[in-house]
Amino acid sequence: MRFGGNKERNILAAQLGLLDPNRFEYTKGIQPLQPGTPEYRRAAERHAALDGNYDGNFVEDADFLRLRELSLRYDFTDLLRRTELGRHIKGLSLAISARNVWLTTKYSGVDPELNFAGGRSLSRGQDFLTLPHPRVIYGTLVITL
């Protein structure tokens, strides 16, 4: 176990029975908590949260709701037939599409779907050095002669 300069962590360690209360002046007189009690659980969770090597500190809720793709297309062929252009152009349609339009999540990272090692890796759920999926907006014009 590592104990040292983190006063709060040392006090919690003394409460959990992991540190001799006489080791530091500020921990003297601390009585260990009873394992299994709500106070013990809260102290243990806080003690773990102060440890940068505890993997549980980096696990969080990644629920999300995303509008991944949105497309809108309109066919102008009927309107074209009523004009002089209708003799030369048989069909005309315009489409506008967008990808990664909207995302809502409480996840603190860039994107809850990202994974730095790819989708087939054993190390899923790690978003170290990853880039978010870009928002892309594009249009299509189809002219049939």
Side-chain angles (χ1 to χ4, degrees):
M1 291 247 159
R2 299 174 326 273
F3 300 104
N6 189 329
K7 186 175 180 179
E8 181 184 5
R9 193 159 193 274
N10 291 336
I11 291 170
L12 291 166
Q15 290 175 336
L16 296 170
L18 302 173
L19 174 73
D20 179 8
N22 295 320
R23 180 161 183 168
F24 300 104
E25 192 64 38
Y26 57 83
T27 58
K28 286 186 179 175
I30 291 179
Q31 295 296 316
L33 298 170
Q34 181 66 35
T37 62
E39 295 81 17
Y40 185 91
R41 282 192 205 107
R42 278 193 297 275
E45 288 171 6
R46 180 65 185 148
H47 183 265
L50 292 171
D51 183 359
N53 292 322
Y54 178 59
D55 290 339
N57 290 333
F58 306 102
V59 176
E60 63 181 290
D61 184 11
D63 292 346
F64 68 95
L65 183 61
R66 167 173 284 170
L67 179 57
R68 185 174 313 280
E69 190 129 2
L70 181 66
S71 295
L72 179 64
R73 180 178 179 269
Y74 190 79
D75 191 344
F76 292 96
T77 304
D78 287 341
L79 293 174
L80 250 164
R81 288 182 185 152
R82 298 178 197 161
T83 67
E84 190 66 31
L85 282 174
R87 283 194 240 158
H88 307 290
I89 300 174
K90 293 181 181 177
L92 177 69
S93 67
L94 177 67
I96 297 175
S97 299
R99 185 149 177 84
N100 295 314
V101 178
W102 176 75
L103 169 68
T104 183
T105 182
K106 292 180 182 177
Y107 182 63
S108 66
V110 178
D111 188 336
E113 287 189 296
L114 291 179
N115 183 29
F116 84 98
R120 296 181 182 205
S121 170
L122 293 175
S123 60
R124 289 186 179 186
Q126 298 178 15
D127 61 1
F128 177 70
L129 290 176
T130 54
L131 296 172
H133 300 291
R135 179 172 293 129
V136 179
I137 300 173
Y138 51 96
T140 307
L141 177 64
V142 178
I143 300 173
T144 307
L145 301 175

